[in-house]
Amino acid sequence: MSNAADNAIEVQGLECRQGERTILHDVNFTVARGELFFVIGGSGCGKSTLLKHLIGLLPVAAGRIAYFGRDFTAAGPAERREMQKGFGVSYQYGALWSSMTLAENVALPLQEYTALTAAERREIVRWKLAQVGLSGCEDQFPAEVSGGMRKRAAIARALALDPQIIFFDEPAAGLDPITSRALDRLILEIRDNLHTTMVIVSHELPSILGIADRAILLHREVQGILAEGAPRRLLAEATDPRVREFLAPEDVVSASNHP
């Protein structure tokens, strides 16, 4: 485990509920600075619920979340809002405003959280769109571009305030394999160039096995973390059949059908 000084995120004894129902119980993990960290698991295991707790959209029932040593859970509203300025979030399917151009979507965080002039915002927006390969697309609307381009624009918006941590919710959802791999390469480039910590919720095996430094595997039966580590190592060393069932489903099916 990393030293506390090296951690971007520390989660201790976290309990996540929806109403009276406990979704996740006693969740503990750390994310190192600059790490590409995946939250993985099948449908209904609590991946998106955990993400919503991490970014403050849902209240924590019990436990602690800290960012760079600062307690997010115990912080007051003003301090939490200030800490959230260090987050970038790329939502599933992009969540762009359809009535706004790509440039206007990317400019929204700058309008909300900075005192920059319109000219300064335009310059930053051009640069952020260039970072994700969308130079010259500033005046296009979300409906006028492909799904992969909408995802890239959403990442540009998440980068607008130069966040320390970017959270992704199923970034490859709805994309074809070629576009999905291109998006994986973009995420790697951003992490390597900007040294940004990445937390990615996903169930896409090519992405998980292809770019993750480390992952936690959530499972409904345990209401928490079933396994933790580098996905390829987990696949090679897994003794729990539920881990292999998720990371190598074809192998499990083949074994079950073997005479």
Side-chain angles (χ1 to χ4, degrees):
M1 182 176 290
S2 303
N3 293 326
D6 297 325
N7 291 330
I9 306 172
E10 297 175 66
V11 176
Q12 299 173 335
L14 186 66
E15 183 164 329
C16 303
R17 296 177 187 161
Q18 288 185 347
E20 296 299 315
R21 186 164 67 99
T22 298
I23 307 298
L24 297 168
H25 176 69
D26 195 26
V27 172
N28 298 273
F29 65 90
T30 61
V31 180
R33 293 171 185 257
E35 189 169 30
L36 217 167
F37 185 87
F38 272 62
V39 179
I40 65 178
S43 297
C45 69
K47 301 188 300 296
S48 293
T49 298
L50 175 59
L51 176 62
K52 290 174 183 175
H53 282 78
L54 291 176
I55 63 179
L57 290 181
L58 290 175
V60 170
R64 175 179 179 267
I65 302 169
Y67 292 102
F68 302 101
R70 296 175 64 187
D71 193 331
F72 182 69
T73 312
E79 185 180 4
R80 283 167 67 89
R81 185 172 173 81
E82 188 269 326
M83 292 173 70
Q84 286 169 325
K85 291 180 184 178
F87 304 166
V89 183
S90 179
Y91 296 98
Q92 193 172 7
Y93 303 114
L96 299 176
W97 292 95
S98 60
S99 60
M100 296 180 175
T101 65
L102 300 188
E104 289 169 340
N105 270 281
V106 177
L108 278 174
L110 299 170
Q111 293 173 327
E112 178 72 18
Y113 293 111
T114 75
L116 296 171
T117 66
E120 289 169 333
R121 291 197 300 268
R122 284 195 297 271
E123 183 63 27
I124 292 172
V125 167
R126 280 197 293 269
W127 168 236
K128 296 304 178 183
L129 286 170
Q131 281 184 299
V132 300
L134 291 178
S135 291
C137 298
E138 290 84 357
D139 296 329
Q140 291 185 275
F141 288 88
E144 297 174 332
V145 301
S146 68
M149 293 171 74
R150 286 194 292 273
K151 297 272 191 172
R152 287 171 177 264
I155 294 173
R157 183 177 61 188
L159 288 168
L161 295 174
D162 297 321
Q164 296 173 295
I165 304 171
I166 301 179
F167 297 91
F168 296 83
D169 187 9
E170 299 284 3
L175 299 181
D176 63 83
I178 294 174
T179 305
S180 180
R181 299 297 77 74
L183 191 67
D184 285 347
R185 290 193 295 272
L186 174 63
I187 289 171
L188 277 175
E189 289 171 7
I190 292 170
R191 191 278 301 270
D192 293 343
N193 292 335
L194 302 180
H195 309 293
T196 308
T197 304
M198 307 280 200
V199 177
I200 301 177
V201 168
S202 180
H203 68 275
E204 301 285 345
L205 288 179
S207 298
I208 294 165
L209 296 173
I211 67 171
D213 293 323
R214 202 161 49 90
I216 52 172
L217 172 58
L218 304 181
H219 200 282
R220 292 178 68 177
E221 291 179 2
V222 300
Q223 291 187 315
I225 298 174
L226 179 64
E228 178 178 354
R232 289 188 177 275
R233 182 180 62 78
L234 290 176
L235 178 58
E237 301 175 3
T239 57
D240 191 317
R242 296 171 297 183
V243 176
R244 192 157 195 88
E245 182 181 19
F246 180 80
L247 291 173
E250 295 85 358
D251 292 355
V252 172
V253 171
S254 298
S256 64
N257 292 334
H258 196 280

